[in-house]
Amino acid sequence: MDTATSGLALLENRWEDAHAATLSPEALLLYRSNLLGSDKRVTNYGGGNTSSKLPMTDPLTGEIVTVLWVKGSGGDIGSMKLDGFSTLYMDKLLQAKALYRGPEQEDAMVGLYPHLTFNLNPRATSIDTPLHGLIAWPHVDHVHPDAIIAIAASADSRRLTREIFGGTIGWVPWRRPGFELGLWLQEFVDENPEARGVVLEAHGLFTWGRTQKECYETTIDTINHATAWLARQSAGKPAFKGEKVAALPPDARRAVAAAIMPAIRGLIATPAGDGKVATRIGHFDDSPAVLDFVCSQALSELAPLGTSCPDHFLRTKIAPLVIAFDPAREQASDILPRLAPAIAAYREGYAAYYQRCRRPDSPAMRDPNAVVYLIPGVGMVTFAADRATARIAAEFYTNAINVMRGASAVSEYRGLPEQEAFDIEYWLLEEAKLQRMGRPKPLAGKVALITGGAGGIGMATARRLADEGAAIVICDIDREVLASSEAALRHSHGPDAAVGLWVDVTDEQAVVSLYADAAVAFGGIDICVSNAGIASAAAIEDTSLALWNRNLSILSTGYFLVTREAFRLLKQQGTGGSLVLVASKNAMVASPGASAYCVAKASEVHLSRCLALEGAPHGIRSNVVNPDAVLRGSRIWEGEWGDQRAASNRTSREDLERVYIERSMLKRGVYPEDIAEGIAFFASEARSGKSTGNILNVDAGHAPAFSR
Ligand code: NAD
């Protein structure tokens, strides 16, 4: 167990004068913002904002006017570009003060901001704009450092702020962001011209400066000062009152996560009409900071208090759900029966909180399920609409853990009062922000596992399903191609879009482990594409037993193992699912000189029919896609198979594709993307939710393969 402030290392000053000297004033603001936001100890993802008041030429009058450049709504100061700033005429913003009618009407001020826009900038203005505009300093930073929020969320944060900073950094009581808070800050600055910043109770830090560099350095110095003070105060004290249970070893932690994540995923899935189910994506975190907290004496007392900084609880909900578990005496199987009642109780508690706090015009209650699940000895599981949001929720809760660690070492930690939390969560302006986010992609919240995912058809399928928003597990026996395929998917679809897992589909234990790893990576699966394969050709009398067995073990036994384990996981989740078996034209039509391959492929089709029968009562569908002659991108055709097929068609390898096109009824080539399209159809509940036990040939037309 670490001491109370471990993890809060001092920040280095990364300002480079030589680089800064080359930048325009607005580029310098972006430089300052990116420097600050790229370190998560300064501010959490998407949290905080920066501003500068800069002289600019008015496009209408040609005169020099002062323009407030302030991070706009949404975005992240660490990764934003110049177009992430909104720009407002400062003189008009100050004039708008005259229109302010008091706290009850402060939301109405937001409707005025578009009228203050400089140079037709389309970036939506943030609700934090007046917090920057009304502070009479040229440059202002607002960030959410764990060390400062630890002080801001302490029971006696005002006294602590004074003790730590003297008069240089002031203190303002909690008030949600908006025009009123802007006026409070303006008053503070006017009355305290010597102050260089202010701690906002339960929320974060504002700092300012005459130059960009001074502002940046004040922010860094202030955070470091608080960090060092916290370290001194808590030296030698155990974090969170010491350890209550010991953390399990890493493999055992992952095993528990693998066992419970699909169960939680199933329990928090919500009906989406006409038999469809909305599922979420999970993320597992057992980092040292998380383990310290979930193994501690203080877990049961601190977790229900919830988080303090509004950014934290908007992402993590009002409080986490702690799942009872004694890692010294119990197994994962002891947790499973506890999940349903614990999740139901959380939902009831959330609904009661909504009823207690709702205002007459509050938006309807949102999903009442927890986002954060804490398991003593094991770690933290988070669930959200997509992987990035689940991972970011875990990052935010880790921020909250750091805050609780610091605050409870020097004082008593306080969450935000319930009504204040509700008013932020159900703030009409937050609702408007959610509405602006647009419709999710068709497969958002779904996880697709694709065997042979590093191959031609597998990779085209991964891309196609990722385009539709599914989280992707590609698995393959070829480690090298798997690694490059995973990297390519992450490059094209984002770092959270895909994981690559090694598997040999003929190895029972490897397949079992594959699904456990997939459960830890994303919380479970919804779509299984059984596709890993080989091809071989040999006349019957030349077919060795080894060749026969190799075909059967990969194409028949491999498909059995992969779909059986998928079936078990889908049944445990209880949210239905789609199995898509990539067989072959040769499953329908015997080809001369390829008996082992044809027989193995035919068995896949019959396996799919059996799975369709057994799966139907559980909403698990099973369908077959039959490719034929997909030469481009396929590694099967690069090997012997290509030579043999060329020989048996009495042509060269180069000419083979033309021969197949000529043979097809439609006289067209078949490509990996065409097979992926068929797979995507069966993967989608919306498009094929009422089809099971079917066969789709994607072969440009081949009459002998017609299914009947
Ligand atoms: P491919 O060789 O490009 O991809 C197949 C992938 O499966 C490869 O990455 C390979 O490493 C992997 N694999 C092989 N054995 C494995 C094992 N034991 N465990 C895990 N992974 C393994 O070939 P493709 O054309 O993309 O073929 C995909 C599927 O489509 C196969 O089942 C194949 O039989 C079927 N198919 C292809 C064609 C075609 O013309 N390309 C025609 C009919 C059927």
Side-chain angles (χ1 to χ4, degrees):
M1 175 72 60
D2 283 330
T3 56
T5 50
S6 65
L8 299 181
L10 293 187
L11 304 166
E12 59 281 15
N13 182 337
R14 295 192 291 139
W15 189 273
E16 285 179 23
D17 283 325
H19 177 63
T22 65
L23 300 174
S24 67
E26 57 269 33
L28 207 49
L29 165 63
L30 181 65
Y31 173 56
R32 180 181 115 218
S33 310
N34 291 166
L35 270 190
L36 289 169
S38 58
D39 192 326
K40 294 286 167 277
R41 292 169 298 171
V42 174
T43 204
N44 42 15
Y45 176 82
N49 26 57
T50 43
S51 70
S52 291
K53 301 174 186 79
L54 303 174
M56 316 247 66
T57 305
D58 189 334
L60 218 49
T61 63
E63 286 173 13
I64 301 294
V65 290
T66 304
V67 173
L68 174 67
W69 286 66
V70 56
K71 194 200 88 168
S73 182
D76 168 56
I77 60 169
S79 53
M80 71 186 290
K81 304 275 186 294
L82 215 48
D83 66 358
F85 291 100
S86 60
T87 46
L88 294 86
Y89 286 95
M90 264 310 292
D91 56 347
K92 292 188 185 174
L93 178 65
L94 295 174
Q95 279 165 18
K97 264 173 71 175
L99 300 170
Y100 180 57
R101 297 278 166 268
E104 291 307 311
Q105 266 92 50
E106 73 172 344
D107 288 1
M109 295 301 284
V110 178
L112 286 180
Y113 298 154
H115 296 282
L116 318 179
T117 300
F118 171 81
N119 204 18
L120 305 177
N121 182 350
R123 171 65 55 190
T125 326
S126 157
I127 47 184
D128 284 0
T129 299
L131 318 184
H132 289 260
L134 299 182
I135 289 178
W137 283 78
H139 308 281
V140 178
D141 288 337
H142 167 46
V143 288
H144 300 149
D146 294 348
I148 295 287
I149 308 179
I151 293 151
S154 290
D156 50 357
S157 74
R158 179 178 210 156
R159 185 186 64 74
L160 291 180
T161 305
R162 175 121 213 117
E163 187 181 328
I164 299 165
F165 298 108
T168 55
I169 301 290
W171 182 91
V172 174
W174 158 259
R175 162 107 214 147
R176 75 176 188 193
F179 214 82
E180 185 71 15
L181 180 59
L183 292 173
W184 288 14
L185 290 172
Q186 181 179 45
E187 194 182 321
F188 175 86
V189 169
D190 292 349
E191 288 174 4
N192 299 276
E194 301 307 313
R196 288 292 172 271
V198 69
V199 168
L200 173 58
E201 186 186 18
H203 184 147
L205 177 69
F206 286 86
T207 34
W208 43 79
R210 278 179 214 92
T211 64
Q212 304 266 10
K213 183 180 176 183
E214 184 184 278
C215 188
Y216 169 80
E217 290 185 337
T218 301
T219 303
I220 298 294
D221 291 348
T222 306
I223 299 169
N224 280 343
H225 194 69
T227 306
W229 183 87
L230 277 173
R232 282 196 303 277
Q233 294 299 309
S234 51
K237 290 185 199 167
F240 302 122
K241 298 185 179 167
E243 191 175 89
K244 184 175 180 191
V245 299
L248 290 171
D251 283 354
R253 298 199 293 265
R254 285 179 71 81
V256 174
I260 66 170
M261 286 177 75
I264 297 175
R265 188 163 187 258
L267 288 163
I268 64 172
T270 41
D274 196 22
K276 294 196 263 308
V277 184
T279 44
R280 291 169 183 76
I281 307 282
H283 174 79
F284 176 60
D285 185 332
D286 61 351
S287 56
V290 169
L291 285 176
D292 259 7
F293 184 57
V294 299
C295 295
S296 75
Q297 297 283 354
L299 173 69
S300 53
E301 149 201 337
L302 288 176
L305 299 181
T307 56
S308 63
C309 177
D311 269 44
H312 294 179
F313 69 71
L314 278 173
R315 294 279 189 166
T316 63
K317 277 247 166 71
I318 180 104
L321 169 51
V322 180
I323 295 171
F325 182 52
D326 180 350
R329 279 168 206 82
E330 295 183 319
Q331 313 292 321
S333 54
D334 294 307
I335 303 181
L336 293 175
R338 288 177 201 152
L339 291 176
I343 286 170
Y346 186 96
R347 280 200 281 253
E348 275 168 33
Y350 185 87
Y353 148 78
Y354 178 83
Q355 290 304 336
R356 273 195 306 280
C357 300
R358 65 178 297 183
R359 310 261 180 194
D361 57 350
S362 291
M365 188 175 83
R366 304 207 186 99
D367 176 25
N369 289 297
V371 171
V372 179
Y373 302 78
L374 303 177
I375 310 106
V378 176
M380 163 169 67
V381 168
T382 46
F383 274 97
D386 57 57
R387 174 79 188 312
T389 312
R391 177 181 52 74
I392 292 166
E395 284 177 15
F396 274 65
Y397 199 75
T398 307
N399 288 126
I401 289 173
N402 287 335
V403 166
M404 289 186 275
R405 184 204 302 262
S408 53
V410 295
S411 175
E412 190 186 324
Y413 168 76
R414 286 234 180 117
L416 205 58
E418 183 179 82
Q419 187 67 53
E420 289 294 331
F422 178 90
D423 287 345
I424 293 266
E425 190 178 350
Y426 283 90
W427 195 358
L428 294 174
L429 296 176
E430 281 296 337
E431 176 76 4
K433 211 168 163 182
L434 290 177
Q435 300 300 337
R436 276 203 297 272
M437 283 167 68
R439 281 166 66 84
K441 290 184 173 173
L443 292 180
K446 302 293 174 207
V447 183
L449 179 145
I450 304 159
T451 69
I457 292 172
M459 193 57 179
T461 305
R463 285 214 171 85
R464 180 70 178 77
L465 299 182
D467 284 348
E468 295 212 3
I472 304 294
V473 179
I474 47 167
C475 43
D476 207 286
I477 198 168
D478 186 330
R479 289 184 196 276
E480 210 174 303
V481 187
L482 179 64
S484 58
S485 303
E486 181 196 53
L489 277 174
R490 290 182 172 193
H491 183 71
S492 59
H493 289 80
D496 294 291
V499 295
L501 299 173
W502 179 88
V503 75
D504 175 354
V505 295
T506 67
D507 175 341
E508 182 171 21
Q509 195 43 52
V511 176
V512 170
S513 300
L514 166 70
Y515 282 92
D517 289 345
V520 175
F522 291 127
I525 68 150
D526 306 281
I527 298 155
C528 164
V529 182
S530 187
N531 163 78
I534 52 155
S536 73
I540 188 68
E541 67 269 36
D542 299 331
T543 301
S544 65
L545 181 59
L547 185 66
W548 177 267
N549 283 343
R550 182 168 149 70
N551 276 276
L552 269 282
S553 72
I554 297 175
L555 301 174
S556 197
T557 310
Y559 274 50
F560 151 66
L561 289 174
V562 164
T563 51
R564 184 191 69 183
E565 290 309 306
F567 200 101
R568 286 179 172 163
L569 186 51
L570 292 173
K571 212 173 144 184
Q572 187 199 3
Q573 275 177 183
T575 49
S578 173
L579 307 172
V580 186
L581 286 76
V582 180
S584 169
K585 174 212 74 180
N586 294 84
M588 316 296 284
V589 196
S591 277
S595 54
Y597 179 74
C598 293
V599 167
K601 281 288 167 191
S603 81
E604 294 170 2
V605 174
H606 218 54
L607 173 64
S608 173
R609 294 187 180 112
C610 297
L611 292 165
L613 269 175
E614 288 190 47
H618 308 287
I620 300 169
R621 300 181 293 112
S622 183
N623 293 288
V624 167
V625 174
N626 285 329
D628 185 35
V630 183
L631 277 69
R632 288 188 206 171
S634 166
R635 291 196 289 134
I636 285 177
W637 288 88
E638 288 168 10
E640 267 181 26
W641 174 259
D643 294 333
Q644 288 155 345
R645 290 293 101 185
S648 80
N649 283 285
R650 292 191 185 80
T651 184
S652 66
R653 271 186 77 131
E654 293 66 44
D655 204 33
L656 198 53
E657 190 176 14
R658 189 195 57 76
V659 169
Y660 283 121
I661 290 174
E662 283 307 314
R663 193 188 68 179
S664 73
M665 287 160 53
L666 296 169
K667 310 286 178 232
R668 300 178 73 178
V670 184
Y671 307 115
E673 293 70 27
D674 300 320
I675 313 305
E677 192 60 41
I679 295 169
F681 172 72
F682 282 134
S684 158
E685 268 304 304
R687 290 193 284 155
S688 68
K690 293 164 194 180
S691 293
T692 191
N694 277 301
I695 296 173
L696 177 66
N697 292 338
V698 185
D699 56 6
H702 186 63
F706 285 179
S707 60
R708 52 182 75 81

